[in-house]
Amino acid sequence: MLLAIDCGNTNTVFAVYDGEDKRCEWRAASKSGRTADEMGVWLNQLMQMKGLGPESITDAIIASVVPAAVFDLRLLCHRYFSAPPLVVGEPDVDLGLQVLVDRPEEVGADRLVNTVAAFRTYGGPLIVLDFGTATTFDVVDAQGNYCGGVIAPGVNLSLEALHMAAAQLPRVAIGRPKAVIGKGTVSAMRSGIFLGYLSMIEGLTARISAEFGAEMTVVATGGLASLFTEATDVIHHLDHDLTLRGLLEIHRRNAASHHTRTSTTHT
């Protein structure tokens, strides 16, 4: 079985795949300083509840946008599952695409993984819209290559910044407003954040498509994707499992050569 790890700025997702089938999935806060041993004890307990032991894991793959977390995630795979992991972004990992930007090494692993999964599922050209700590728009061409994109502050990050910077503005939950014109502070903030982001989504997808010169499929993923997908017709597909499926596809592509390298190392 494959242990797939998606480490984001806010949360880290651990999923176990048996072939194409996802057996289980868990989510933990991406806390700084969490050791391999802490994660190993926690993850093994959860796996046991699903009838899985550490020996069930034969392979592992990691995508992380938190460089400081990679060492302990890699150690977790080695120490607790005896599964040397593939790490997306390392030179020997074949993604099956070109990264057509000025500095390919700066592109987040999650954005590349999403590109792989989205192209395999929906074809191209397309825009992958990811609602995470940042809201990102990633452009994929008709051949499946990563062509760049747009990065904006995430919805919850913007709400928190508004609350922290303005003494009289409370902390509010994101939600679809009943009207554009708010009749109170909370309703005005909800309108500004939700409809402001909705306008950004509609405006940027239109501008990206016009600049790219083609009609583009828009795929949304991430925590708040469903909320915004319901409110606009510019998003064509909602896909919460996009990143994990991308990890599965990248592992499949690299599995044969990775096992060969591992066997040679231990000979």
Side-chain angles (χ1 to χ4, degrees):
M1 294 187 188
L2 172 69
L3 174 63
I5 304 174
D6 171 27
C7 179
N9 287 298
T10 303
N11 294 311
T12 300
V13 179
F14 300 82
V16 175
Y17 279 90
D18 185 359
E20 294 282 337
D21 299 324
K22 184 169 64 175
R23 288 283 302 272
C24 35
E25 176 185 332
W26 303 281
R27 187 176 299 265
S30 298
K31 293 181 180 179
S32 176
R34 178 172 285 171
T35 67
D37 293 327
E38 290 174 306
M39 290 185 287
V41 170
W42 171 81
L43 189 55
N44 268 305
Q45 289 177 333
L46 290 172
M47 288 176 62
Q48 287 174 15
M49 293 172 65
K50 297 291 185 179
L52 299 173
E55 69 284 351
S56 303
I57 303 300
T58 57
D59 299 277
I61 185 168
I62 299 167
S64 176
V65 298
V66 185
V70 173
F71 175 84
D72 280 297
L73 288 171
R74 190 194 297 271
L75 186 59
L76 166 73
C77 297
H78 277 279
R79 180 175 291 172
Y80 285 88
F81 304 104
S82 301
L86 290 170
V87 179
V88 176
E90 292 191 343
D92 60 341
V93 177
D94 178 17
L95 301 178
L97 56 81
Q98 296 183 65
V99 183
L100 305 176
V101 299
D102 296 335
R103 298 180 65 86
E105 69 277 5
E106 292 182 353
V107 181
D110 56 337
R111 303 176 78 181
L112 297 177
V113 172
N114 286 345
T115 294
V116 170
F119 180 74
R120 183 173 187 268
T121 306
Y122 306 104
L126 56 85
I127 299 168
V128 180
L129 176 53
D130 190 351
F131 293 90
T133 305
T135 300
T136 57
F137 300 72
D138 292 314
V139 179
V140 186
D141 68 16
Q143 290 72 46
N145 299 314
Y146 179 84
C147 300
V150 176
I151 302 174
V155 178
N156 289 321
L157 189 63
S158 294
L159 276 170
E160 188 64 19
L162 198 59
H163 166 67
M164 295 295 290
Q168 290 188 303
L169 296 182
R171 183 180 280 111
V172 300
I174 184 69
R176 188 172 182 176
K178 296 179 179 178
V180 178
I181 302 171
K183 297 298 185 179
T185 299
V186 171
S187 60
M189 289 175 67
R190 281 187 176 147
S191 180
I193 290 292
F194 184 86
L195 296 176
Y197 266 86
L198 191 63
S199 298
M200 179 183 74
I201 290 163
E202 294 172 342
L204 278 176
T205 52
R207 286 175 179 272
I208 290 169
S209 182
E211 185 171 292
F212 194 80
E215 290 295 319
M216 307 181 79
T217 300
V218 180
V219 181
T221 191
L224 293 173
S226 57
L227 183 63
F228 286 95
T229 299
E230 293 170 355
T232 181
D233 58 5
V234 303
I235 298 174
H236 303 113
H237 302 283
L238 173 64
D239 195 333
H240 286 300
D241 282 337
L242 196 66
T243 309
L244 291 174
R245 286 208 323 280
L247 287 172
L248 186 63
E249 175 63 21
I250 293 168
H251 173 263
R252 183 188 297 111
R253 171 178 284 272
N254 289 267
S257 59
H258 180 61
H259 281 305
T260 300
R261 291 195 304 271
T262 303
S263 299
T264 303
T265 301
H266 289 288
T267 300

